[in-house]
Amino acid sequence: MSSTQLNIVIMAAGKGTRMKSALPKVLHKLAGRSLLQHVLGMSERLGQARRIVITGHGAEQVETAVAAPGLSFVRQMPQLGTGHAVQQAVPALDDAAPVTLILNGDVPLIRAETAQALVEACAGGSKLALMTIELADPTGYGRIVRDAEGGVQAIVEHKDASPEQRQIREGYTGMMAAPTAALKRWLSQLTNDNAQGEYYLTDIVAMAVAEGLPVTGTLAPSETEVLGVNSPLQLSDLERRFQRQQAETLMEQQGLRLADPARFDLRGQLTVGPDVEIDVGCVFEGQVSLGEGVRIGAYCVIRNATIAAGARIHEFTHIDGEKPGGAKVGAGALIGPFARLRPGAELGDEVHIGNFVEVKNSTLAKGAKANHLAYLGDATVGERVNYGAGSITANYDGANKHRTVIGADVHVGSNCVLVAPVEIGAGATVGGGSTITKPVGAGELAVARGKQVAISGWARPVKKPK
Ligand code: UD1
Ligand code: CA
């Protein structure tokens, strides 16, 4: 589509009373992104367009949250109905664009293909195109009133509808594509003479019919795409529908093996190689990449991480790289159960990180192992290092972080404190229970602990019988 073919108006001024939340409704999240971001992301795929968001309730918060180049905001204060909302956008519309697409900020799962089809139904501004939906229970929806030949005559809001009209099951989804010039004219003629005392956008349909402009009503391809969010329950329902779609796409198109697609949550992008298996209850956030043959155990949370081929992430492991690529796990590595990898954890091939081990801003070279109850922060760890249970790097002096460098083939015994900055040379051994404050040379044994004392003839106190 060439430049300025389309205006896109996104309505996001409503209060969202039924959310019972201080957060404006359109900022509530679905799969890690706000409802409004879903609609905006979709709208970017509609080619060159002028995009206008109508804000009102929590306007400042909404505008700050979604601000982007080329996006403009129009405020609607107070909110006197959907027609009144679009009236506020009129000065911001590009007259050179023959078609204006109207979307809802709280209808997050509309696909670009569907919105594009609606724009095309407007036929360059020679028709008014409505998106409709057949509903088992259309309560609350504006009804599509058609004549005997099936031509659309009007939309009648539920509260204004006669008992006969309420029998109509075709409802208006809230999305339409209108001729820009005619839309401006119709909006200026709206009145609020109706059951709710509001300016209804939907009244323009009868105006178009009166002018002899063709009106088309196109059924939405699926209910999921046109469902809006008005309550926490509806939000969770759409979340599950969206998660199911993502799971199915990954399974059908990439061969991902999910133990249960109903117990899978992706809040971002997941790329998977062949033969990847994910057990139940895992959450993936940000950008996560899983190489060939990776297996993820149950109940892991993995955010912004790259996991290479053949690695196994056991149950209840938490990996958080913070930024994309912020945590890396090498090929064939074994992580967890109950491991925690934090930002800057870069683990080489065949590294083992066992239960209750925390790694932050540290590089572990190939084959290094920390199998139990340990902390590695701001450390550089060489190949094949064995880091004992209970050992920690004391990397923080209360003001600054310092590095610990551990050479290849070092053996750190259990319960050691490596007080950074400190360096341990290749092949050195640190005796269990040592507090290391000075450098250890290559190949040396360092022992820094109280000597064992043997006291003979000592008697342990004994409880007296009652
Ligand atoms: C609207 C439609 C109805 C349709 C239904 C689909 C009208 C008059 N009715 O009804 O035919 O079946 O959506 O869900 O258009 N908004 C504003 N400013 C306002 C009022 C609303 O920005 O002054 C926004 C809301 O934030 C929301 C959208 O417009 O995103 C729809 O508003 P809502 O009050 O939900 O409209 P309904 O009464 O449900
Ligand atoms: Ca609504």
Side-chain angles (χ1 to χ4, degrees), residues 153-224:
Q153 294 301 296
I155 297 176
V156 179
E157 290 306 306
H158 181 88
K159 286 188 178 143
D160 298 278
S162 65
E164 298 75 51
Q165 288 168 330
R166 288 189 183 179
Q167 299 302 309
I168 300 170
R169 287 180 41 218
E170 186 182 13
Y172 170 54
T173 61
M175 292 179 269
M176 66 165 75
T180 303
L183 174 68
K184 289 167 85 165
R185 190 171 62 247
W186 297 328
L187 287 171
S188 70
Q189 295 163 21
L190 290 178
T191 66
N192 63 354
D193 181 17
N194 53 53
Q196 300 184 79
E198 287 181 8
Y199 295 89
Y200 292 163
L201 176 62
T202 44
D203 282 353
I204 71 169
V205 175
M207 294 180 188
V209 171
E211 286 185 15
L213 193 93
V215 180
T216 67
T218 313
L219 279 173
S222 77
E223 188 189 63
T224 301

Side-chain angles (χ1 to χ4, degrees), residues 364-388:
L364 278 72
K366 186 174 178 182
K369 294 185 173 71
N371 271 327
H372 339 260
L373 302 156
Y375 175 57
L376 281 161
D378 302 299
T380 304
V381 178
E383 293 191 0
R384 297 172 301 278
V385 164
N386 197 312
Y387 193 78

Side-chain angles (χ1 to χ4, degrees), residues 259-275:
D260 182 358
R263 284 181 287 170
F264 166 76
D265 284 84
L266 169 57
R267 302 169 188 156
Q269 272 88 48
L270 178 64
T271 46
V272 296
D275 283 308

